[in-house]
Amino acid sequence: MTTTRPKLAFVSPYEHFGAMSGARKRIENLCIALSDDNVKVSCLSPWKIDADVDHIPYSLEGNFFVKFWNVLRLNWLLWRLKPEVVISESPFAPLPFGRYRLFHMIHDAKFVTAHGRSKRKIARMVHWVSARISDGLITVSLSEKNRLLEALHLPVDHILVSYNGVSSAWLEMDRTDRTPLCYDLIFVSNFARHKGHINLLRAIRGTSFSVVFVGADFGEREQCKKAAIDWSLDVTFMQDLSEEELIRIYDQSRVFVFPSNLEGFGMPYLEARARGLPVVANDIPVFNELQQIVGGHIVDFSNSDQVRSRLMEAMMLTKEVPDLDVFKWSEIATDLLMETRK
């Protein structure tokens, strides 16, 4: 007797400026974990995944007419695929007409904050409609769920929380006490205004901390480079690292800093803890949530004296890895499949 493989489709239609964003990293890891678990996975995206996944090139980048055509085309593509479950990041929800269970994925509700784009009111309205067309909404933390409940006026049980995770490489790659420590502080994030790079540099003015920034430029890197020069700070800039190279940079650093003003989750927080680094993070809801689970230090990054004090305390700590079983992608993928097929 043969068992029919579950069929699930992800719609992830954005390029992310060619960078490995947290949203893209989540979809890639879920696709890999689900395909390893004998699920037939399709991914509609502009980038391809190196896994046993049916990849269909699909994008919502471009002008209004291109986007409008591709919104219509999405319904046709999903009709051909005939999945049981669709998890879509598109703000314009496809119309399932009872053919499949549809879940609207929101990684962070930037559109309801001051960090959103100029058309955030339109985005809020579109997400409001899509959330009601869908069978449910998925987000990545309890903090983000609370923000969405308030912004979109949804019932509590309409939003499913599915945490982000870390791949096995972060937990299994050899660690050694003999790894040379080249940097006092590490921050891994693309250079966008709300990420808080400048706030960190301002907080450590007048110190001798060595810092490494890893991330692609979303418009703020040159300003950070200028600030580092003007304030005589020891800052190294890196990007386009492989996962193994990135892990090695974590291992060569003493403390992970996370000055961001807005995150839906914040995967680098987990990556740092997976390599045993103490974390000093900004006082925002999701970091308080993660701190309760995996540890770390929370501080208001607008208070430079407090930041420097916390950093000095963290520098004295030894590296220690907490229990991260709940953040394994295999567990997250299994739970997500079970919840979306109910």
Side-chain angles (χ1 to χ4, degrees):
M1 180 178 177
T2 59
T3 303
T4 304
R5 295 171 66 190
K7 296 177 67 175
L8 187 147
F10 288 100
V11 181
S12 186
Y14 299 110
E15 293 274 5
H16 303 290
F17 301 96
M20 180 56 77
S21 66
R24 175 175 170 179
K25 190 179 292 187
R26 173 183 173 84
I27 298 300
E28 289 198 359
N29 279 285
L30 285 174
C31 285
I32 292 168
L34 288 166
S35 62
D36 288 346
D37 198 27
N38 200 37
V39 178
K40 184 173 177 54
V41 181
S42 300
C43 185
L44 292 81
S45 67
W47 33 266
K48 191 171 183 179
I49 299 172
D50 185 18
D52 183 19
V53 171
D54 179 19
H55 176 249
I56 299 166
Y58 181 76
S59 173
L60 279 180
E61 308 284 2
N63 61 40
F64 171 81
F65 298 102
V66 171
K67 290 179 179 178
F68 181 74
W69 163 247
N70 279 317
V71 167
L72 297 177
R73 178 170 163 258
L74 177 59
N75 288 279
W76 176 71
L77 289 170
L78 292 173
W79 176 80
R80 286 183 58 202
L81 285 172
K82 296 180 173 57
E84 293 177 51
V85 176
V86 173
I87 298 175
S88 175
E89 295 176 356
S90 168
F92 302 97
L95 300 174
F97 296 115
R99 297 190 304 267
Y100 48 78
R101 287 178 59 77
L102 173 65
F103 290 85
H104 186 44
M105 178 78 215
I106 299 179
H107 297 272
D108 66 67
K110 198 182 284 103
F111 58 88
V112 301
T113 73
H115 303 288
R117 297 177 182 176
S118 58
K119 297 179 181 178
R120 59 180 179 268
K121 289 184 179 179
I122 297 174
R124 184 172 184 162
M125 180 182 67
V126 171
H127 283 292
W128 187 93
V129 173
S130 291
R132 283 157 175 79
I133 292 173
S134 306
D135 292 284
L137 191 151
I138 300 172
T139 194
V140 292
S141 65
L142 291 171
S143 306
E144 209 60 17
K145 176 177 179 175
N146 291 334
R147 197 199 314 263
L148 290 166
L149 286 172
E150 181 179 353
L152 302 180
H153 307 292
L154 296 168
V156 173
D157 60 359
H158 196 70
I159 302 181
L160 168 66
V161 173
S162 173
Y163 278 145
N164 286 329
V166 287
S167 70
S168 58
W170 291 88
L171 301 170
E172 296 171 0
M173 193 164 157
D174 289 342
R175 299 177 183 82
T176 173
D177 293 335
R178 294 187 296 275
T179 300
L181 293 172
C182 304
Y183 310 103
D184 295 320
L185 310 177
I186 178 173
F187 180 31
V188 178
S189 176
N190 295 323
F191 287 86
R193 183 169 299 178
H194 67 277
K195 294 295 187 177
H197 291 80
I198 291 294
N199 286 345
L200 171 61
L201 295 178
R202 185 178 293 112
I204 63 171
R205 287 176 66 177
T207 71
S208 59
F209 289 132
S210 57
V211 184
V212 57
F213 285 152
V214 184
D217 186 19
F218 281 26
E220 295 293 308
R221 183 163 54 199
E222 289 307 312
Q223 183 183 357
C224 291
K225 286 184 175 181
K226 184 177 185 303
I229 293 171
D230 291 346
W231 297 337
S232 302
L233 295 171
D234 180 6
V235 183
T236 301
F237 294 82
M238 297 184 180
Q239 69 178 92
D240 299 328
L241 301 182
S242 68
E243 185 173 50
E244 182 176 346
E245 290 170 334
L246 181 57
I247 290 172
R248 289 303 181 206
I249 296 299
Y250 272 94
D251 289 349
Q252 292 170 8
S253 305
R254 296 179 186 275
V255 175
F256 184 86
V257 283
F258 215 150
S260 182
N261 293 308
L262 174 70
E263 295 289 336
F265 186 83
M267 281 190 190
Y269 197 120
L270 283 189
E271 293 170 350
R273 297 301 289 133
R275 302 311 292 178
L277 272 71
V279 172
V280 177
N282 196 19
D283 188 5
I284 61 175
V286 70
F287 292 160
N288 281 278
E289 183 177 340
L290 288 174
Q291 189 265 348
Q292 292 296 315
I293 304 172
V294 298
H297 303 270
I298 304 300
V299 64
D300 179 1
F301 264 78
S302 67
N303 187 321
S304 296
D305 290 338
Q306 286 187 14
V307 172
R308 286 193 293 270
S309 176
R310 281 293 189 186
L311 291 175
M312 291 301 298
E313 291 174 10
M315 293 271 288
M316 303 300 293
L317 299 175
T318 57
K319 293 187 177 182
E320 185 176 352
V321 180
D323 181 1
L324 295 173
D325 283 351
V326 69
F327 297 109
K328 290 181 178 178
W329 282 116
S330 57
E331 300 295 326
I332 294 167
T334 298
D335 290 344
L336 182 63
L337 183 65
M338 180 179 66
E339 291 293 332
T340 54
R341 295 181 76 203
K342 282 182 178 178

